[in-house]
Amino acid sequence: MRRFLSKITPRQMGFTNSNSLLVGSSSVPRNITTATSNAAQVDQTKPNSVSDMLVDSFGRFHTYLRISLTERCNLRCQYCMPSEGVELTPKPQLLSQSEIVRLAGLFVSSGVNKIRLTGGEPTVRKDIEEICMQLSSLKGLKNLAITTNGITLARKLPKLKECGLDSINISLDTLVPAKFEFLTRRKGHERVMQSIDSAIALGYNPVKVNCVVMRGLNDDEICDFVELTRDKPINVRFIEFMPFDGNVWNVKKLVSYAEMMDKVVKRFPSIKRVQDHPTETAKNFTIDGHCGSVSFITSMTEHFCSGCNRLRLLADGNFKVCLFGPSEVSLRDPIRSGADDETLREIIGAAVKRKKAAHAGMLDIAKTANRPMIHIGG
């Protein structure tokens, strides 16, 4: 295995610490909880359009807001939802369309320039088209994106594009229909593939395909996913398996970035790293002769906290500054108590200032109480 890794240097792979080893192949990295932990190392010059509300104590500018539109979903993916299901927040306690738009407007007017709609499954929300229309009209917003499982996307996408949807991530963890049904506890593989093709036909480029890699389930399909990029403008994004409440995370299920890369290098030796933006979560690669590209999201073995620019607004109105942190603050409650915009800005700004330099590391995260992914928003 290591003789193939020698073709790509640790820096080309994106490792900032040469002591990072392979998880699941030889041993757990010795420095798994500390790699790239100094948030102040990222050199960022504050844009004039970003208010202090979005700047944390480490100088990170948060210009990317992920909004969960719903906790409901039409799949039951094993890494997202416990087998027994989850208790959903009663509808009256979820943010209304007007509340979502109001809060989004506050963030955008303060410097957020990208919004991603998540869930649950965002396309199950009946007013998603109107939400997209209103969000896309916010002055200063440069990109409106969605992360979806693709089950109903094909028929909804033409209208969503008219309403201002700029980019798409489609979650797909296997190319085998029977395995899809096992992983998601539902049928629908063919519809997801149709949604990918529909997005390409409508001109989305790239169409991003998110694949959570789990040992013994789909790690044998990594190169098959890479093949999707040969003739189509698809960016396959391999995601390390992350711990959340109820998904029975175990380090033995984790297939590390290094191990995934080893598989890809053997089959596609011309793979090359591209220059990434400092706030990019993924390590991005191109392959000679391929129309699309390949990326790796290394949240567990080589985290990217130092360049994090992301904030999360949950479907119930809670505001979360770190995916893996348990801390949340309600924005719904002050809105419904009559808070004005300045009060909301103060609440948001205080939460952002409390954001830590880095998450705790995967072994500690696994022991920390946090919500299931379907509550947080993918």
Side-chain angles (χ1 to χ4, degrees):
M1 179 177 289
R2 294 187 181 279
R3 65 188 179 90
F4 288 99
L5 282 173
S6 65
K7 296 180 181 179
I8 294 185
T9 68
R11 186 162 297 277
Q12 284 176 306
M13 290 178 64
F15 284 114
T16 57
N17 189 317
S18 59
N19 289 329
S20 294
L21 303 175
L22 302 186
V23 174
S25 55
S26 56
S27 64
V28 176
R30 294 191 297 271
N31 63 336
I32 197 70
T33 63
T34 59
T36 327
S37 62
N38 186 357
Q41 289 180 349
V42 173
D43 181 19
Q44 297 189 66
T45 302
K46 181 182 176 184
N48 293 331
S49 60
V50 178
S51 77
D52 288 337
M53 180 187 93
L54 298 177
V55 184
D56 69 13
S57 59
F58 300 95
R60 292 173 292 198
F61 311 126
H62 296 81
T63 57
Y64 181 2
L65 177 66
R66 301 174 71 98
I67 301 176
S68 177
L69 296 183
T70 179
E71 295 173 352
R72 294 170 52 229
C73 188
N74 43 15
L75 296 180
R76 297 292 183 269
C77 298
Q78 294 189 27
Y79 57 81
C80 184
M81 183 182 292
S83 58
E84 67 273 15
V86 297
E87 183 176 350
L88 300 180
T89 303
K91 187 174 181 179
Q93 297 178 27
L94 300 177
L95 290 179
S96 66
Q97 179 184 140
S98 62
E99 290 169 336
I100 291 171
V101 174
R102 178 185 174 187
L103 288 170
L106 275 178
F107 280 98
V108 172
S109 66
S110 299
V112 163
N113 56 38
K114 179 177 181 178
I115 290 176
R116 178 174 296 280
L117 303 177
T118 70
E121 170 50 40
T123 62
V124 304
R125 183 151 174 161
K126 294 179 180 180
D127 59 353
I128 186 172
E129 294 171 359
E130 181 61 27
I131 290 174
C132 285
M133 181 73 77
Q134 294 194 53
L135 294 182
S136 65
S137 67
L138 292 174
K139 184 178 180 181
L141 187 68
K142 297 179 181 178
N143 185 274
L144 179 61
I146 192 171
T147 295
T148 169
N149 60 31
I151 292 293
T152 65
L153 183 66
R155 62 182 174 84
K156 294 185 176 184
L157 190 52
K159 182 63 176 178
L160 289 173
K161 185 174 183 180
E162 289 179 14
C163 292
L165 186 66
D166 297 305
S167 54
I168 300 171
N169 288 50
I170 298 175
S171 298
L172 178 65
D173 301 315
T174 178
L175 299 175
V176 181
K179 195 186 294 185
F180 177 92
E181 186 173 347
F182 171 75
L183 288 170
T184 67
R185 307 185 181 107
R186 295 290 186 275
K187 296 182 183 293
H189 182 269
E190 183 179 353
R191 281 180 283 172
V192 180
M193 299 305 293
Q194 289 173 349
S195 290
I196 293 172
D197 288 338
S198 295
I200 293 171
L202 285 169
Y204 286 97
N205 185 359
V207 174
K208 296 182 178 181
V209 174
N210 294 346
C211 177
V212 177
V213 180
M214 294 162 283
R215 189 176 309 282
L217 289 175
N218 61 352
D219 54 325
D220 59 333
E221 296 185 62
I222 290 174
C223 290
D224 294 334
F225 270 94
V226 175
E227 279 292 346
L228 293 178
T229 73
R230 186 179 296 276
D231 300 314
K232 296 180 179 180
I234 292 174
N235 170 228
V236 172
R237 299 163 73 81
F238 295 112
I239 302 172
E240 291 180 336
F241 184 39
M242 298 176 280
F244 294 97
D245 276 11
N247 73 351
V248 198
W249 185 88
N250 186 303
V251 68
K252 294 180 180 179
K253 296 181 183 178
L254 172 67
V255 182
S256 73
Y257 161 49
E259 188 176 353
M260 288 188 276
M261 174 60 77
D262 182 74
K263 291 176 180 286
V264 176
V265 168
K266 290 177 182 177
R267 176 93 161 262
F268 306 96
S270 67
I271 188 169
K272 295 187 291 289
R273 180 78 185 269
V274 301
Q275 183 66 46
D276 300 321
H277 189 276
T279 62
E280 176 63 73
T281 61
K283 295 172 173 62
N284 299 297
F285 294 80
T286 59
I287 299 174
D288 288 351
H290 283 231
C291 179
S293 57
V294 177
S295 303
F296 299 86
I297 298 178
T298 63
S299 305
M300 296 293 94
T301 63
E302 184 76 5
H303 70 64
F304 33 81
C305 300
S306 63
C308 182
N309 69 339
R310 290 151 184 79
L311 301 170
R312 291 172 181 267
L313 179 61
L314 279 55
D316 64 1
N318 276 13
F319 178 53
K320 195 174 180 73
V321 297
C322 176
L323 173 62
F324 299 109
S327 298
E328 299 176 5
V329 60
S330 178
L331 300 180
R332 177 201 64 205
D333 292 349
I335 282 180
R336 295 183 182 180
S337 297
D340 59 16
D341 287 357
E342 187 55 37
T343 299
L344 293 171
R345 291 180 194 274
E346 290 174 1
I347 296 171
I348 294 167
V352 171
K353 292 296 187 291
R354 292 193 295 269
K355 184 170 181 174
K356 296 181 179 180
H359 66 60
M362 68 176 181
L363 299 179
D364 289 327
I365 290 171
K367 302 173 186 175
T368 302
N370 199 359
R371 297 214 236 178
M373 194 62 181
I374 195 166
H375 279 172
I376 298 172

CSV table of all heavy atoms in Angstrom, one decimal, residues 95-151:
chain,number,residue,atom,x,y,z
A,95,LEU,N,-39.2,26.7,12.0
A,95,LEU,CA,-39.2,28.0,11.5
A,95,LEU,C,-40.1,28.1,10.3
A,95,LEU,O,-40.2,27.2,9.4
A,95,LEU,CB,-37.8,28.4,11.0
A,95,LEU,CG,-36.7,28.6,12.0
A,95,LEU,CD1,-35.4,29.0,11.3
A,95,LEU,CD2,-37.1,29.8,13.0
A,96,SER,N,-40.9,29.2,10.2
A,96,SER,CA,-41.8,29.4,9.1
A,96,SER,C,-41.0,30.0,8.0
A,96,SER,O,-39.8,30.4,8.1
A,96,SER,CB,-42.9,30.4,9.5
A,96,SER,OG,-42.3,31.7,9.8
A,97,GLN,N,-41.6,30.0,6.8
A,97,GLN,CA,-41.0,30.6,5.6
A,97,GLN,C,-40.5,32.0,5.9
A,97,GLN,O,-39.4,32.4,5.6
A,97,GLN,CB,-41.9,30.6,4.4
A,97,GLN,CG,-41.3,31.2,3.2
A,97,GLN,CD,-42.3,31.2,2.0
A,97,GLN,OE1,-42.4,32.2,1.3
A,97,GLN,NE2,-43.1,30.1,1.9
A,98,SER,N,-41.4,32.8,6.5
A,98,SER,CA,-41.0,34.2,6.7
A,98,SER,C,-39.9,34.4,7.7
A,98,SER,O,-39.0,35.3,7.6
A,98,SER,CB,-42.2,35.0,7.2
A,98,SER,OG,-42.7,34.5,8.4
A,99,GLU,N,-39.8,33.5,8.7
A,99,GLU,CA,-38.7,33.5,9.7
A,99,GLU,C,-37.4,33.1,9.1
A,99,GLU,O,-36.4,33.7,9.3
A,99,GLU,CB,-39.1,32.6,10.9
A,99,GLU,CG,-40.2,33.1,11.7
A,99,GLU,CD,-40.7,32.1,12.7
A,99,GLU,OE1,-40.6,30.9,12.5
A,99,GLU,OE2,-41.3,32.5,13.8
A,100,ILE,N,-37.4,32.1,8.2
A,100,ILE,CA,-36.2,31.7,7.5
A,100,ILE,C,-35.7,32.8,6.6
A,100,ILE,O,-34.5,33.2,6.7
A,100,ILE,CB,-36.5,30.5,6.6
A,100,ILE,CG1,-36.8,29.2,7.4
A,100,ILE,CG2,-35.4,30.2,5.6
A,100,ILE,CD1,-37.3,28.0,6.6
A,101,VAL,N,-36.6,33.5,5.9
A,101,VAL,CA,-36.2,34.6,5.0
A,101,VAL,C,-35.6,35.8,5.8
A,101,VAL,O,-34.6,36.4,5.4
A,101,VAL,CB,-37.3,35.0,4.1
A,101,VAL,CG1,-36.9,36.2,3.3
A,101,VAL,CG2,-37.7,33.8,3.1
A,102,ARG,N,-36.3,36.1,6.9
A,102,ARG,CA,-35.8,37.2,7.8
A,102,ARG,C,-34.4,36.9,8.3
A,102,ARG,O,-33.6,37.8,8.2
A,102,ARG,CB,-36.8,37.4,8.9
A,102,ARG,CG,-36.3,38.5,9.8
A,102,ARG,CD,-37.2,38.7,11.1
A,102,ARG,NE,-36.7,39.7,12.0
A,102,ARG,CZ,-37.1,40.0,13.2
A,102,ARG,NH1,-38.2,39.3,13.6
A,102,ARG,NH2,-36.6,40.9,14.0
A,103,LEU,N,-34.2,35.7,8.8
A,103,LEU,CA,-32.9,35.4,9.4
A,103,LEU,C,-31.9,35.4,8.3
A,103,LEU,O,-30.7,35.9,8.5
A,103,LEU,CB,-33.0,34.1,10.2
A,103,LEU,CG,-33.7,34.1,11.5
A,103,LEU,CD1,-33.9,32.7,12.1
A,103,LEU,CD2,-32.9,35.0,12.5
A,104,ALA,N,-32.2,34.8,7.2
A,104,ALA,CA,-31.2,34.7,6.1
A,104,ALA,C,-30.9,36.1,5.6
A,104,ALA,O,-29.7,36.4,5.3
A,104,ALA,CB,-31.8,33.9,4.9
A,105,GLY,N,-31.9,37.0,5.6
A,105,GLY,CA,-31.6,38.4,5.2
A,105,GLY,C,-30.6,39.1,6.2
A,105,GLY,O,-29.7,39.9,5.8
A,106,LEU,N,-30.7,38.8,7.5
A,106,LEU,CA,-29.8,39.3,8.5
A,106,LEU,C,-28.4,38.9,8.2
A,106,LEU,O,-27.4,39.6,8.2
A,106,LEU,CB,-30.2,38.9,9.9
A,106,LEU,CG,-31.3,39.7,10.6
A,106,LEU,CD1,-31.6,39.1,12.0
A,106,LEU,CD2,-30.8,41.1,10.8
A,107,PHE,N,-28.3,37.6,7.9
A,107,PHE,CA,-26.9,37.0,7.7
A,107,PHE,C,-26.3,37.6,6.4
A,107,PHE,O,-25.2,38.0,6.4
A,107,PHE,CB,-27.0,35.5,7.6
A,107,PHE,CG,-27.0,34.8,8.9
A,107,PHE,CD1,-28.2,34.4,9.5
A,107,PHE,CD2,-25.9,34.6,9.6
A,107,PHE,CE1,-28.3,33.8,10.7
A,107,PHE,CE2,-25.9,34.0,10.9
A,107,PHE,CZ,-27.1,33.5,11.4
A,108,VAL,N,-27.1,37.7,5.3
A,108,VAL,CA,-26.6,38.1,4.1
A,108,VAL,C,-26.2,39.6,4.2
A,108,VAL,O,-25.2,40.1,3.6
A,108,VAL,CB,-27.6,37.9,2.9
A,108,VAL,CG1,-27.2,38.6,1.6
A,108,VAL,CG2,-27.8,36.4,2.7
A,109,SER,N,-27.1,40.4,4.8
A,109,SER,CA,-26.7,41.8,5.0
A,109,SER,C,-25.5,42.1,5.8
A,109,SER,O,-24.9,43.1,5.8
A,109,SER,CB,-27.9,42.6,5.6
A,109,SER,OG,-28.2,42.2,6.9
A,110,SER,N,-25.1,41.0,6.6
A,110,SER,CA,-23.9,41.1,7.4
A,110,SER,C,-22.7,40.6,6.8
A,110,SER,O,-21.6,40.7,7.3
A,110,SER,CB,-24.2,40.4,8.8
A,110,SER,OG,-25.2,41.0,9.5
A,111,GLY,N,-22.8,39.9,5.6
A,111,GLY,CA,-21.7,39.4,4.9
A,111,GLY,C,-21.7,38.0,4.4
A,111,GLY,O,-20.8,37.6,3.6
A,112,VAL,N,-22.7,37.2,4.7
A,112,VAL,CA,-22.9,35.9,4.2
A,112,VAL,C,-23.2,36.0,2.7
A,112,VAL,O,-24.0,36.8,2.3
A,112,VAL,CB,-24.0,35.1,4.9
A,112,VAL,CG1,-24.4,33.9,4.1
A,112,VAL,CG2,-23.6,34.7,6.3
A,113,ASN,N,-22.4,35.3,1.9
A,113,ASN,CA,-22.6,35.3,0.4
A,113,ASN,C,-23.0,34.0,-0.2
A,113,ASN,O,-23.2,33.9,-1.4
A,113,ASN,CB,-21.4,35.9,-0.3
A,113,ASN,CG,-20.1,35.1,0.0
A,113,ASN,OD1,-20.1,33.9,0.2
A,113,ASN,ND2,-19.0,35.9,0.2
A,114,LYS,N,-23.0,32.9,0.7
A,114,LYS,CA,-23.5,31.6,0.2
A,114,LYS,C,-24.4,31.0,1.2
A,114,LYS,O,-24.1,31.0,2.4
A,114,LYS,CB,-22.3,30.7,0.0
A,114,LYS,CG,-22.7,29.3,-0.6
A,114,LYS,CD,-21.5,28.4,-0.8
A,114,LYS,CE,-21.9,27.1,-1.4
A,114,LYS,NZ,-20.7,26.2,-1.7
A,115,ILE,N,-25.5,30.5,0.7
A,115,ILE,CA,-26.5,29.7,1.5
A,115,ILE,C,-26.7,28.4,0.9
A,115,ILE,O,-26.9,28.2,-0.3
A,115,ILE,CB,-27.8,30.5,1.6
A,115,ILE,CG1,-27.7,31.8,2.5
A,115,ILE,CG2,-28.9,29.6,2.2
A,115,ILE,CD1,-28.9,32.6,2.5
A,116,ARG,N,-26.7,27.3,1.8
A,116,ARG,CA,-27.0,26.0,1.3
A,116,ARG,C,-28.2,25.5,2.1
A,116,ARG,O,-28.3,25.6,3.3
A,116,ARG,CB,-25.8,25.0,1.6
A,116,ARG,CG,-26.1,23.6,1.1
A,116,ARG,CD,-24.9,22.7,1.3
A,116,ARG,NE,-23.9,23.1,0.3
A,116,ARG,CZ,-23.8,22.8,-1.0
A,116,ARG,NH1,-24.8,22.1,-1.5
A,116,ARG,NH2,-22.9,23.2,-1.7
A,117,LEU,N,-29.2,25.0,1.3
A,117,LEU,CA,-30.4,24.4,1.9
A,117,LEU,C,-30.2,22.9,2.2
A,117,LEU,O,-29.8,22.2,1.3
A,117,LEU,CB,-31.6,24.7,1.0
A,117,LEU,CG,-31.8,26.1,0.6
A,117,LEU,CD1,-33.0,26.3,-0.4
A,117,LEU,CD2,-32.1,27.0,1.9
A,118,THR,N,-30.5,22.5,3.4
A,118,THR,CA,-30.3,21.1,3.8
A,118,THR,C,-31.5,20.6,4.5
A,118,THR,O,-32.6,21.2,4.5
A,118,THR,CB,-29.1,21.0,4.7
A,118,THR,OG1,-29.3,21.6,6.0
A,118,THR,CG2,-27.8,21.6,4.1
A,119,GLY,N,-31.4,19.4,5.1
A,119,GLY,CA,-32.5,18.8,5.8
A,119,GLY,C,-31.9,17.8,6.8
A,119,GLY,O,-30.8,18.0,7.1
A,120,GLY,N,-32.7,16.9,7.2
A,120,GLY,CA,-33.7,16.2,6.5
A,120,GLY,C,-33.5,16.2,5.0
A,120,GLY,O,-32.4,16.2,4.5
A,121,GLU,N,-34.6,16.2,4.3
A,121,GLU,CA,-34.5,16.3,2.8
A,121,GLU,C,-35.3,17.5,2.5
A,121,GLU,O,-36.5,17.6,2.6
A,121,GLU,CB,-35.2,15.1,2.2
A,121,GLU,CG,-35.4,15.2,0.7
A,121,GLU,CD,-34.2,15.6,-0.1
A,121,GLU,OE1,-33.1,15.2,0.3
A,121,GLU,OE2,-34.3,16.4,-1.0
A,122,PRO,N,-34.5,18.6,2.0
A,122,PRO,CA,-35.2,19.9,1.8
A,122,PRO,C,-36.3,19.9,0.7
A,122,PRO,O,-37.2,20.7,0.8
A,122,PRO,CB,-34.0,20.7,1.4
A,122,PRO,CG,-32.9,19.8,0.9
A,122,PRO,CD,-33.1,18.6,1.8
A,123,THR,N,-36.2,18.9,-0.2
A,123,THR,CA,-37.2,19.0,-1.3
A,123,THR,C,-38.6,18.5,-0.8
A,123,THR,O,-39.6,18.6,-1.6
A,123,THR,CB,-36.8,18.2,-2.5
A,123,THR,OG1,-36.6,16.8,-2.1
A,123,THR,CG2,-35.5,18.7,-3.1
A,124,VAL,N,-38.7,17.9,0.4
A,124,VAL,CA,-40.0,17.5,0.9
A,124,VAL,C,-40.8,18.7,1.4
A,124,VAL,O,-42.0,18.6,1.7
A,124,VAL,CB,-39.9,16.4,1.9
A,124,VAL,CG1,-39.1,15.2,1.4
A,124,VAL,CG2,-39.3,16.9,3.2
A,125,ARG,N,-40.1,19.8,1.6
A,125,ARG,CA,-40.8,21.0,2.1
A,125,ARG,C,-41.6,21.6,0.9
A,125,ARG,O,-41.1,21.9,-0.1
A,125,ARG,CB,-39.8,22.0,2.7
A,125,ARG,CG,-40.5,23.2,3.2
A,125,ARG,CD,-39.8,23.8,4.4
A,125,ARG,NE,-40.5,25.1,4.8
A,125,ARG,CZ,-40.3,25.7,5.9
A,125,ARG,NH1,-39.5,25.2,6.8
A,125,ARG,NH2,-41.0,26.8,6.2
A,126,LYS,N,-42.9,21.8,1.1
A,126,LYS,CA,-43.8,22.1,0.1
A,126,LYS,C,-43.5,23.5,-0.5
A,126,LYS,O,-43.8,23.8,-1.6
A,126,LYS,CB,-45.3,22.0,0.5
A,126,LYS,CG,-45.7,20.6,0.8
A,126,LYS,CD,-47.1,20.5,1.3
A,126,LYS,CE,-47.6,19.1,1.5
A,126,LYS,NZ,-49.0,19.0,2.0
A,127,ASP,N,-43.0,24.4,0.4
A,127,ASP,CA,-42.8,25.8,-0.1
A,127,ASP,C,-41.3,26.1,-0.5
A,127,ASP,O,-40.9,27.2,-0.5
A,127,ASP,CB,-43.2,26.8,1.0
A,127,ASP,CG,-42.5,26.6,2.4
A,127,ASP,OD1,-41.7,25.6,2.5
A,127,ASP,OD2,-42.6,27.4,3.3
A,128,ILE,N,-40.6,25.0,-0.8
A,128,ILE,CA,-39.2,25.2,-1.1
A,128,ILE,C,-39.0,26.1,-2.3
A,128,ILE,O,-38.0,26.9,-2.4
A,128,ILE,CB,-38.5,23.8,-1.4
A,128,ILE,CG1,-37.0,24.0,-1.5
A,128,ILE,CG2,-39.1,23.1,-2.5
A,128,ILE,CD1,-36.2,22.8,-1.6
A,129,GLU,N,-39.9,26.1,-3.3
A,129,GLU,CA,-39.7,26.9,-4.5
A,129,GLU,C,-39.8,28.4,-4.1
A,129,GLU,O,-39.0,29.2,-4.5
A,129,GLU,CB,-40.7,26.6,-5.6
A,129,GLU,CG,-40.5,25.2,-6.1
A,129,GLU,CD,-41.6,24.7,-7.0
A,129,GLU,OE1,-42.6,25.5,-7.2
A,129,GLU,OE2,-41.5,23.6,-7.6
A,130,GLU,N,-40.8,28.7,-3.3
A,130,GLU,CA,-40.9,30.1,-2.8
A,130,GLU,C,-39.8,30.5,-1.9
A,130,GLU,O,-39.3,31.7,-2.0
A,130,GLU,CB,-42.2,30.3,-2.0
A,130,GLU,CG,-42.5,31.7,-1.6
A,130,GLU,CD,-42.6,32.7,-2.7
A,130,GLU,OE1,-43.0,32.3,-3.8
A,130,GLU,OE2,-42.3,33.9,-2.4
A,131,ILE,N,-39.3,29.6,-1.1
A,131,ILE,CA,-38.1,29.9,-0.3
A,131,ILE,C,-36.9,30.3,-1.2
A,131,ILE,O,-36.2,31.2,-0.9
A,131,ILE,CB,-37.8,28.8,0.7
A,131,ILE,CG1,-38.9,28.7,1.8
A,131,ILE,CG2,-36.4,29.0,1.3
A,131,ILE,CD1,-38.8,27.5,2.7
A,132,CYS,N,-36.7,29.4,-2.2
A,132,CYS,CA,-35.6,29.7,-3.1
A,132,CYS,C,-35.7,31.0,-3.8
A,132,CYS,O,-34.7,31.8,-4.0
A,132,CYS,CB,-35.5,28.5,-4.1
A,132,CYS,SG,-34.8,27.0,-3.5
A,133,MET,N,-36.9,31.3,-4.2
A,133,MET,CA,-37.2,32.6,-4.9
A,133,MET,C,-36.8,33.8,-4.1
A,133,MET,O,-36.1,34.7,-4.5
A,133,MET,CB,-38.6,32.7,-5.4
A,133,MET,CG,-39.0,33.9,-6.1
A,133,MET,SD,-38.4,33.9,-7.8
A,133,MET,CE,-39.5,32.8,-8.6
A,134,GLN,N,-37.2,33.7,-2.8
A,134,GLN,CA,-37.0,34.8,-1.9
A,134,GLN,C,-35.5,34.9,-1.5
A,134,GLN,O,-34.9,36.0,-1.4
A,134,GLN,CB,-37.9,34.7,-0.7
A,134,GLN,CG,-39.4,34.9,-1.0
A,134,GLN,CD,-40.2,35.1,0.3
A,134,GLN,OE1,-39.9,36.0,1.1
A,134,GLN,NE2,-41.2,34.2,0.5
A,135,LEU,N,-34.9,33.8,-1.2
A,135,LEU,CA,-33.5,33.8,-0.9
A,135,LEU,C,-32.6,34.3,-2.0
A,135,LEU,O,-31.6,35.0,-1.8
A,135,LEU,CB,-33.0,32.4,-0.4
A,135,LEU,CG,-33.7,31.9,0.9
A,135,LEU,CD1,-33.1,30.5,1.3
A,135,LEU,CD2,-33.5,32.9,2.1
A,136,SER,N,-32.9,33.8,-3.2
A,136,SER,CA,-32.0,34.2,-4.3
A,136,SER,C,-32.1,35.6,-4.7
A,136,SER,O,-31.2,36.2,-5.4
A,136,SER,CB,-32.4,33.3,-5.6
A,136,SER,OG,-33.7,33.6,-6.0
A,137,SER,N,-33.2,36.3,-4.2
A,137,SER,CA,-33.3,37.8,-4.5
A,137,SER,C,-32.6,38.6,-3.4
A,137,SER,O,-32.6,39.9,-3.6
A,137,SER,CB,-34.8,38.1,-4.5
A,137,SER,OG,-35.4,38.0,-3.3
A,138,LEU,N,-32.0,38.0,-2.4
A,138,LEU,CA,-31.3,38.8,-1.4
A,138,LEU,C,-30.1,39.5,-1.9
A,138,LEU,O,-29.2,38.8,-2.5
A,138,LEU,CB,-30.9,37.9,-0.2
A,138,LEU,CG,-32.1,37.3,0.7
A,138,LEU,CD1,-31.5,36.3,1.7
A,138,LEU,CD2,-32.9,38.4,1.3
A,139,LYS,N,-30.0,40.7,-1.8
A,139,LYS,CA,-28.9,41.5,-2.3
A,139,LYS,C,-27.6,41.1,-1.5
A,139,LYS,O,-27.5,41.1,-0.3
A,139,LYS,CB,-29.1,43.0,-2.1
A,139,LYS,CG,-28.0,43.9,-2.7
A,139,LYS,CD,-28.4,45.3,-2.6
A,139,LYS,CE,-27.3,46.2,-3.2
A,139,LYS,NZ,-27.6,47.7,-3.0
A,140,GLY,N,-26.6,40.7,-2.3
A,140,GLY,CA,-25.3,40.3,-1.7
A,140,GLY,C,-25.1,38.8,-1.7
A,140,GLY,O,-24.0,38.3,-1.5
A,141,LEU,N,-26.2,38.0,-1.9
A,141,LEU,CA,-26.0,36.6,-2.0
A,141,LEU,C,-25.5,36.2,-3.4
A,141,LEU,O,-26.1,36.5,-4.4
A,141,LEU,CB,-27.4,35.9,-1.7
A,141,LEU,CG,-27.3,34.3,-1.6
A,141,LEU,CD1,-26.5,33.9,-0.3
A,141,LEU,CD2,-28.7,33.7,-1.6
A,142,LYS,N,-24.4,35.4,-3.4
A,142,LYS,CA,-23.7,35.0,-4.6
A,142,LYS,C,-24.1,33.6,-5.1
A,142,LYS,O,-24.0,33.3,-6.2
A,142,LYS,CB,-22.2,35.2,-4.5
A,142,LYS,CG,-21.8,36.6,-4.3
A,142,LYS,CD,-20.3,36.7,-4.1
A,142,LYS,CE,-19.8,38.1,-3.9
A,142,LYS,NZ,-18.3,38.2,-3.7
A,143,ASN,N,-24.4,32.8,-4.1
A,143,ASN,CA,-24.7,31.4,-4.4
A,143,ASN,C,-25.7,30.8,-3.5
A,143,ASN,O,-25.6,30.9,-2.3
A,143,ASN,CB,-23.4,30.6,-4.3
A,143,ASN,CG,-23.5,29.1,-4.8
A,143,ASN,OD1,-23.9,28.3,-4.0
A,143,ASN,ND2,-23.2,28.9,-6.0
A,144,LEU,N,-26.7,30.2,-4.1
A,144,LEU,CA,-27.8,29.4,-3.4
A,144,LEU,C,-27.7,28.0,-3.8
A,144,LEU,O,-27.8,27.7,-5.0
A,144,LEU,CB,-29.2,30.0,-3.7
A,144,LEU,CG,-30.3,29.3,-3.0
A,144,LEU,CD1,-30.2,29.4,-1.5
A,144,LEU,CD2,-31.7,29.8,-3.5
A,145,ALA,N,-27.4,27.1,-2.9
A,145,ALA,CA,-27.1,25.7,-3.2
A,145,ALA,C,-28.0,24.8,-2.4
A,145,ALA,O,-28.8,25.3,-1.5
A,145,ALA,CB,-25.6,25.4,-2.8
A,146,ILE,N,-28.1,23.6,-2.7
A,146,ILE,CA,-28.9,22.6,-2.0
A,146,ILE,C,-28.1,21.3,-1.9
A,146,ILE,O,-27.4,20.9,-2.8
A,146,ILE,CB,-30.2,22.4,-2.8
A,146,ILE,CG1,-31.2,21.6,-1.9
A,146,ILE,CG2,-30.0,21.6,-4.1
A,146,ILE,CD1,-32.6,21.6,-2.5
A,147,THR,N,-28.3,20.6,-0.8
A,147,THR,CA,-27.9,19.2,-0.6
A,147,THR,C,-29.1,18.4,-0.5
A,147,THR,O,-29.9,18.6,0.4
A,147,THR,CB,-27.0,19.0,0.6
A,147,THR,OG1,-25.8,19.8,0.4
A,147,THR,CG2,-26.6,17.6,0.8
A,148,THR,N,-29.2,17.4,-1.4
A,148,THR,CA,-30.5,16.6,-1.5
A,148,THR,C,-30.1,15.1,-1.7
A,148,THR,O,-29.1,14.8,-2.3
A,148,THR,CB,-31.3,17.1,-2.7
A,148,THR,OG1,-32.4,16.2,-2.9
A,148,THR,CG2,-30.5,17.3,-3.9
A,149,ASN,N,-31.1,14.3,-1.4
A,149,ASN,CA,-30.9,12.8,-1.7
A,149,ASN,C,-31.3,12.5,-3.1
A,149,ASN,O,-31.1,11.4,-3.5
A,149,ASN,CB,-31.6,11.9,-0.7
A,149,ASN,CG,-33.1,12.1,-0.6
A,149,ASN,OD1,-33.7,12.5,-1.6
A,149,ASN,ND2,-33.7,11.9,0.5
A,150,GLY,N,-31.9,13.4,-3.8
A,150,GLY,CA,-32.2,13.2,-5.2
A,150,GLY,C,-33.4,12.4,-5.5
A,150,GLY,O,-33.8,12.2,-6.7
A,151,ILE,N,-34.2,12.0,-4.5
A,151,ILE,CA,-35.3,11.1,-4.8
A,151,ILE,C,-36.4,11.8,-5.6
A,151,ILE,O,-36.9,11.3,-6.5
A,151,ILE,CB,-35.9,10.6,-3.4
A,151,ILE,CG1,-34.9,9.6,-2.8
A,151,ILE,CG2,-37.2,9.9,-3.7
A,151,ILE,CD1,-34.7,8.3,-3.5
